[in-house]
Each structure stands twice: as structure tokens, then as C-alpha cells.
Amino acid sequence: MDEQEIIARYFGSHARQRKDVVLGIGDDAAITSLAPGHDLVTATDCLVEGTHFLPGCPARSVGHRALAVNLSDLAAMGAEPLWFTLALSLPSADERWLEQFSSGLLDLANGFRIALIGGDTVRGPLSASVTVLGQVPGGGGVRRGAASAGDGVWVTGTPGDAVAGRLAPEDLSGLPVENSPEEASTPAGRKAAVEYLRARFLYPAPRVQAGLALAGLASSMIDVSDGLHVDIQRLLGPRGAVLDAGALPLSPALRACRAGDAIRYALTGGDDYELCFTVPAGREPEVVGLRERLDVPLTRIGHVTDSSGVGWLLDGQNLEVPDAGFRHF
Ligand code: ADP
Ligand code: MG
């Protein structure tokens, strides 16, 4: 298979037609039209074999994650994702791998009704770079570093699951994205809990709906990729926070499988792709109202302080948390 055949077979036939795609795959570049009065929001993330995923990682998961991590970045800006491009470097044209990679990628894209509008396909070490393009109403992007003292600090979902799933030894590839855990006291229950944790690592669910709902409400927002503790510091910039580790939303599966490590995983594990955000005190009831219509937990874990430094308490005692999130260099 040559480059043109790979594009045509696995990516060029991505049928999702959006009215705002003037020209999609097949020409020298794509043309799209942005809604009037909106700002363009762009994010790129590169997944490299050996750095971001291990050799032998299910290709479906690599395809899913390559797009999911970018959708998570757009969610953290409060943006609506619209289009994406894919730069793929492959050691060989492995049809089975391409089939699974493209279905992981395009199933997620179809779920959010976004269109693959172009890319590049080259021979080389295995890597996948995705760029997602989206929009916010003019001036409406939610940034880091804009929280005020007294704002509540909130998090979506249940951080810590992904690292537990990454470290789980069982080979449980090809699982559904969200697989709720059963009571983990029986062998079957434990297997279901481990499968749930593995799926949380292999198939993260980007919090796009939550990000959109929080635009205009959150004073600042970030997505948690390197670990909650380091990412909260990036979120707050010059400010600090007092946070309650006892308030952390831990999944039943994480509690069941890794009770002793659960809080440490939630604070320093990474790969969560949950949103962490701040909300002015007077508007926190609106976040509580959102819980009804979003299918993801929203949990308040503390508040922003004027002085720098992010401090964690557990049962009223100070909890030492290392700054060691995931570091690339
Ligand atoms: P060029 O030589 O001008 O870069 P290519 O032959 O690389 O053109 O690409 C032809 C068309 O296919 C372009 O529209 C390009 O955006 C698209 N394309 C190439 N690789 C991919 C891919 N992996 N996914 C989606 N579109 C792709
Ligand atoms: Mg090209």
C-alpha cells in the first residue's frame, strides 16, 4: 500500500460532512469557515511510541488517545471542537494496525461530530500527531492563571483511575470506553474493576460537554494530564490553594483495587484528562445545578488563596505531596 492508498482507505473516506468544511481531504490544504464573531482555538499533541505509549499498546487505544488528549485541551478552554488534522508516521503499512487505529480515532470523532480535514502520512518511527481546531464566542476562551482568592477549586470525574489502569498487569485490551465497576469483593467484581481502570487509561473520555457548560462560569480551567497536584499549580499561577484530599472523588474501582495508593494516584498519577477549574464563590450554586445535566461528577475540593503554594489536608493534618508529576525532560 502506498501513501495515497493508506489515506484513501483509512482516512480519506471519513464521511462526516460538516457544512463549515468548504474543502476537506484531497487538495493541498483544507478550507473551513468559522462562525461570525468567534475565536479560533487550536491545540496539538504528539503521541510517540516508547514515550507516550508502549510497543504493543492496542492500536485502537492509540487512535482514541491521539484525538482524546487534544479534545481534552479544547475542553479546558471551554471550546467547541470542529475539525482536526492527523500527521502519522508509520514504520510499515500494517493493515491490521491501521484498521484498528483509524477506527479508534474516527469512532471518537464521530461521537463529537467533528471532521478529519487533512494531515500527512510518512514512513518513520511510530507516532501520531493530531491538531484539533475549534471555536469559542469572541473573547470567551477560559484561561489558566485567572482565579481570584476565595474561588472554589473543582474537579470533574475521578482522578487516579488512569494510572491504576496503566499499572494494572492484566491484558484487557479492546474494552468499552466507560464500564462501570461492580462490587469488587468477588473475583468477577475485581476483574470488572480492573477492566474499568484499564479502560480509563486506554480510552479516556474528554470532558467536552463539561468544558462547554463551564465556559462563562469558571474563572480558570486546565485539563489534568500530568497529575492533579502539578496541574493545579499550573492552573493557579501566582495564587495558591488549600485543598482537602479527603474530598477527592475516588472511583469505587480505585478504592477496591488500590485503596492504599488511591489518594497518591489521584494527586500525582497523571493521564486523567479530567478538568480542574475555579469558580467565584457566588456562582458555585450554578456548578451544583450543572451536575444534573452532565453525566460526569463535579466535586469541590477546596479554595484559592492569595499567597502562592498548594497545600493539601487529610483529616485536618498537612499532607506532603511531591511535585513529581509526569515530566518530559
Ligand atoms: P501533499 O504532498 O500536498 O502534502 P499529500 O499526498 O501528503 O499531499 O496529502 C494528500 C491529501 O491527503 C491532503 O489533503 C492531506 O491533507 C491528506 N492527508 C494526508 N495524510 C493524511 C492523514 N493521515 N489523515 C488525513 N488526511 C491526510
Ligand atoms: Mg503531505
Side-chain angles (χ1 to χ4, degrees):
M1 250 191 316
D2 69 11
E3 181 192 336
Q4 296 308 321
E5 285 173 287
I6 293 174
I7 298 166
R9 186 178 317 174
Y10 298 103
F11 305 111
S13 58
H14 184 228
R16 171 106 249 121
Q17 280 305 321
R18 294 184 54 102
K19 286 204 204 74
D20 51 15
V21 178
V22 181
L23 188 61
I25 291 171
D27 213 305
D28 294 311
I31 305 175
T32 54
S33 50
L34 201 62
H38 284 67
D39 292 340
L40 181 65
V41 183
T42 308
T44 298
D45 251 311
C46 182
L47 257 60
V48 177
E49 185 182 53
T51 302
H52 303 98
F53 60 94
L54 293 172
C57 179
R60 184 174 175 80
S61 167
V62 179
H64 178 102
R65 293 182 86 236
L67 180 57
V69 300
N70 282 284
L71 289 173
S72 178
D73 281 324
L74 255 69
M77 305 304 292
E80 176 192 2
L82 303 170
W83 320 294
F84 70 108
T85 63
L86 166 69
L88 191 58
S89 169
L90 298 168
S92 67
D94 178 338
E95 293 187 23
R96 218 179 115 73
W97 193 91
L98 277 162
E99 180 62 47
Q100 292 177 7
F101 171 86
S102 63
S103 61
L105 180 86
L106 298 180
D107 285 353
L108 185 64
N110 292 335
F112 288 104
R113 300 191 155 71
I114 63 173
L116 177 59
I117 55 169
D120 203 11
T121 308
V122 299
R123 185 183 293 272
L126 188 58
S127 76
S129 296
V130 168
T131 297
V132 174
L133 305 149
Q135 66 183 11
V136 290
V142 187
R143 304 172 189 213
R144 303 179 184 182
S148 303
D151 288 2
V153 179
W154 293 71
V155 67
T156 64
T158 53
D161 294 344
V163 69
R166 180 160 60 75
L167 298 175
E170 287 86 343
D171 176 26
L172 297 160
S173 52
L175 294 165
V177 176
E178 294 275 334
N179 179 7
S180 34
E182 297 294 327
E183 180 55 54
S185 56
T186 63
R190 191 185 147 74
K191 183 165 181 289
V194 173
E195 287 179 1
Y196 166 87
L197 296 172
R198 287 286 288 165
R200 290 273 289 151
F201 171 66
L202 292 172
Y203 303 101
R207 303 305 186 191
V208 173
Q209 301 311 332
L212 281 169
L214 289 164
L217 179 53
S219 49
S220 66
M221 186 147 61
I222 192 171
D223 73 315
V224 180
S225 53
D226 292 343
L228 192 56
H229 180 60
V230 284
D231 284 328
I232 286 181
Q233 294 175 48
R234 291 174 185 148
L235 172 68
L236 297 178
R239 309 215 183 279
V242 176
L243 304 166
D244 179 6
L248 285 168
L250 303 174
S251 73
L254 182 63
R255 288 179 200 270
C257 296
R258 299 276 173 177
D261 295 318
I263 287 179
R264 187 166 59 86
Y265 282 5
L267 292 180
T268 62
D271 287 320
D272 295 305
Y273 301 104
E274 296 296 347
L275 298 177
C276 183
F277 55 97
T278 55
V279 180
R283 301 197 62 186
E284 291 190 284
E286 293 172 63
V287 184
V288 175
L290 278 180
R291 283 188 179 135
E292 318 271 293
R293 65 179 183 86
L294 294 175
D295 59 359
V296 61
L298 304 172
T299 308
R300 189 182 193 279
I301 56 172
H303 67 272
V304 179
T305 55
D306 246 333
S307 54
S308 66
V310 170
W312 291 91
L313 298 172
L314 185 60
D315 299 327
Q317 306 285 314
N318 287 324
L319 182 71
E320 281 305 317
V321 182
D323 271 346
F326 182 81
R327 288 187 199 284
H328 298 271
F329 294 100

